[in-house]
Amino acid sequence: MPELTQQELETRFQKKIDDNLYIEPKDWMLDKYRKNLLRQISQHAHSEVVGMLPEANWITRAPNLRRKAALLAKIQDEAGHGLYLYSAAETLGSSREEILNAFLTGKAKYSSIFNYPTLTWADIGAIGWLVDGAAIINQVMLQRASYGPYARAMIRICREESFHQRQGYEIMLTLCRGTAEQKAMAQDALNRWWWPSLMMFGPHDKDSPNTGDMTKWRVKRESNDELRQKFIDRTVPQADFLGITMPDKDLKWNETTQHYDHGEIDWKEFNDVISGHGPCNRERMSARIKAHNDGKWVRDAATAYANKKVHKVKSL
Amino acid sequence: MQDNQWPLWEVFIQSKSGQPYKHCGSVHAPDGAMALENARDVYTRRNEGTSIWVVPAQYIIASTPEEVGEFFDPANDKVYRHPTFYTLPPEVKYI
């Protein structure tokens, strides 16, 4: 086969994406595509892993055994999702060690939402309902992302996330049908988690410079603002049903657009949290680093055991 | 000892008895027994499988995308391998 020129390779690559086909690990791909995807998938993986921390705070204090078992299962899923995504990221040519190292040294980011504290049990309800709800909207889109291993991981993840959101909403529902104090607790959690959940979709389209390439490469198939709007439109009626209200006085149904209008997001807060000054950034990173270091002896012991077995077989 | 994340294993799962094994992802583990347990915990938390294979990733030999055309070429011009190549009268049944 004659050697293809760079231009031919690029055209072929883009055509494959435009034809709704998938790029697989050994296929030729643009260097920029590989780099951007590696960054996005590994950040996504780190977010799943850090996402375990705010919820872990409530395992021992869950109100009953049913809630505790569900919360444990949810957190175990987050670990699983992190692993699906690390394994997808590795197919882009980076090792697990390199990916983890970028995370533990603070070079790679994770979703800013996990830098907020979980102050009451209602926060566990609000996280499942809002944070997982927002994640689902984004992840449903990514199920058809052009990179095969990423899209396949997303399909598995979406299948599991719906339990997360439903268990969260059920916690909110129970609180809202409980005493006045319990309902107030649900309202308070909504007040604190609503805006950070909206920020999960990222900056407004006009301030989002990276979107162009990712759209062209069929990774991002809907814009930040479109996804955010979809989330708001779905979630407001769910809050109405609970009988609690979004902390946004400008939120109202718009007959003309058939969408909810909403107030302005505090982008200063968003930028502060992203650049490391959120309420829990330092706590999350140190918890993660401690867990990694505390696990080293387990990794070492298992490696030593595996090596010993190999030597035994060889000496037989 | 150097800290590392162990070798990579590819995971294949049979979803139901009688079904073929399908690739579903990978895990890291120091040996086969732990790879199998990790694969169970990561990929079958909701009864997705009745059986699992784990294979050291380094031993998988894969076709290369660049040669895909020539590689599959021998089958392209053999229409006579398909049942529709043969025309039979409509009166003939069960064939």
Side-chain angles (χ1 to χ4, degrees):
Chain A
M1 199 167 66
E3 283 284 305
L4 294 173
T5 65
Q6 176 75 13
Q7 189 54 49
E8 283 167 332
L9 287 166
E10 284 182 25
T11 313
R12 216 183 240 212
F13 166 79
Q14 188 61 46
K15 183 170 185 314
K16 214 167 172 184
I17 292 174
D18 296 340
D19 289 348
N20 277 320
L21 297 174
Y22 293 84
I23 307 296
E24 294 296 336
K26 293 179 86 177
D27 291 347
W28 186 91
M29 62 185 91
L30 269 181
D31 217 33
K32 260 198 328 185
Y33 176 86
R34 184 188 298 277
K35 270 193 203 126
N36 272 287
L37 263 174
L38 181 59
R39 196 193 56 209
Q40 173 167 334
I41 301 173
S42 57
Q43 283 183 9
H44 197 157
H46 304 326
S47 301
E48 297 283 355
V49 171
V50 179
M52 291 192 278
L53 299 171
E55 299 186 304
N57 189 30
W58 282 91
I59 293 174
T60 56
R61 287 172 290 162
N64 57 46
L65 193 57
R66 178 178 179 272
R67 296 286 185 212
K68 186 176 187 164
L71 184 57
L72 272 169
K74 178 178 190 292
I75 293 172
Q76 197 187 11
D77 275 352
E78 312 294 4
H81 297 175
L83 291 169
Y84 304 160
L85 288 163
Y86 281 131
S87 108
E90 283 173 80
T91 64
L92 287 161
S94 199
S95 73
R96 179 74 61 97
E97 286 84 355
E98 285 166 342
I99 296 170
L100 283 184
N101 203 39
F103 173 33
L104 296 171
T105 55
K107 258 184 268 163
K109 288 197 176 356
Y110 56 87
S111 176
S112 61
I113 191 81
F114 302 116
N115 290 314
Y116 291 87
T118 41
L119 304 177
T120 73
W121 171 250
D123 289 21
I124 298 304
I127 287 180
W129 173 37
L130 301 172
V131 176
D132 289 82
I136 288 171
I137 299 231
N138 192 36
Q139 288 166 346
V140 163
M141 165 186 82
L142 292 169
Q143 287 184 107
R144 281 166 54 207
S146 61
Y147 190 56
Y150 193 29
R152 291 192 284 273
M154 281 300 129
I155 291 170
R156 295 188 72 90
I157 288 177
C158 284
R159 215 180 287 148
E160 300 181 351
E161 288 280 3
S162 121
F163 134 62
H164 298 180
Q165 199 191 11
R166 289 171 69 103
Q167 69 90 36
Y169 193 77
E170 196 201 63
I171 291 173
M172 296 302 272
L173 198 58
T174 308
L175 289 170
C176 289
R177 286 174 174 168
T179 64
E181 205 184 348
Q182 285 170 324
K183 192 168 180 182
M185 198 193 267
Q187 178 67 61
D188 167 64
L190 173 58
N191 291 347
R192 285 180 290 108
W193 288 94
W194 177 244
W195 290 108
S197 301
L198 296 188
M199 293 174 198
M200 283 175 71
F201 296 97
H204 283 311
D205 297 347
K206 59 177 169 49
D207 307 316
S208 187
N210 287 330
T211 309
D213 279 344
M214 290 311 237
T215 306
K216 193 173 101 190
W217 296 329
R218 213 179 84 234
V219 177
K220 200 159 177 50
R221 293 168 44 249
E222 290 166 84
S223 78
N224 292 356
D225 287 331
E226 283 167 357
L227 293 168
R228 183 165 24 238
Q229 188 65 54
K230 197 183 270 186
F231 173 69
I232 295 172
D233 290 348
R234 282 185 190 182
T235 312
V236 175
Q238 294 167 353
D240 291 344
F241 185 84
L242 293 172
I244 50 183
T245 48
M246 305 306 186
D248 179 0
K249 58 177 171 34
D250 297 318
L251 186 80
K252 58 172 188 300
W253 179 250
N254 183 328
E255 267 305 326
T256 324
T257 60
Q258 291 289 301
H259 292 294
Y260 284 92
D261 291 335
H262 63 91
E264 196 40 68
I265 293 164
D266 181 358
W267 294 112
K268 187 187 171 305
E269 177 181 322
F270 175 73
N271 289 321
D272 283 350
V273 179
I274 282 204
S275 56
H277 305 292
C280 300
N281 294 54
R282 238 170 290 168
E283 188 185 329
R284 300 287 183 246
M285 276 315 285
S286 65
R288 194 55 227 133
I289 291 167
K290 182 176 185 302
H292 183 79
N293 292 339
D294 288 354
K296 185 175 187 305
W297 74 269
V298 179
R299 294 190 293 277
D300 288 348
T303 308
Y305 178 72
N307 288 340
K308 210 163 123 187
K309 268 199 308 191
V310 172
H311 289 309
K312 229 185 216 165
V313 172
K314 276 189 186 151
S315 64
L316 281 177
Chain B
M1 187 182 296
Q2 200 204 339
D3 193 7
N4 71 73
Q5 295 290 318
W6 302 325
L8 187 66
W9 304 70
E10 297 299 333
V11 181
F12 299 81
I13 291 183
Q14 184 190 42
S15 59
K16 264 194 294 199
S17 164
Q19 294 291 310
Y21 287 71
K22 250 168 86 176
H23 180 251
C24 67
S26 58
V27 293
H28 286 255
D31 58 33
M34 275 190 76
L36 212 47
E37 289 184 2
N38 290 350
R40 175 201 60 194
D41 292 344
V42 175
Y43 293 104
T44 61
R45 285 192 302 283
R46 289 176 177 78
N47 308 314
E48 289 96 333
T50 49
S51 175
I52 303 177
W53 291 347
V54 288
V55 183
Q58 56 170 323
Y59 293 122
I60 290 187
I61 316 294
S63 60
T64 48
E66 294 80 32
E67 286 153 12
V68 114
E70 301 139 70
F71 190 72
F72 291 107
D73 178 61
N76 285 345
D77 57 353
K78 297 181 178 58
V79 277
Y80 46 86
R81 281 178 172 167
H82 299 278
T84 45
F85 179 76
Y86 304 90
T87 357
L88 301 185
E91 306 88 276
V92 185
K93 302 292 181 204
Y94 306 115
I95 185 158

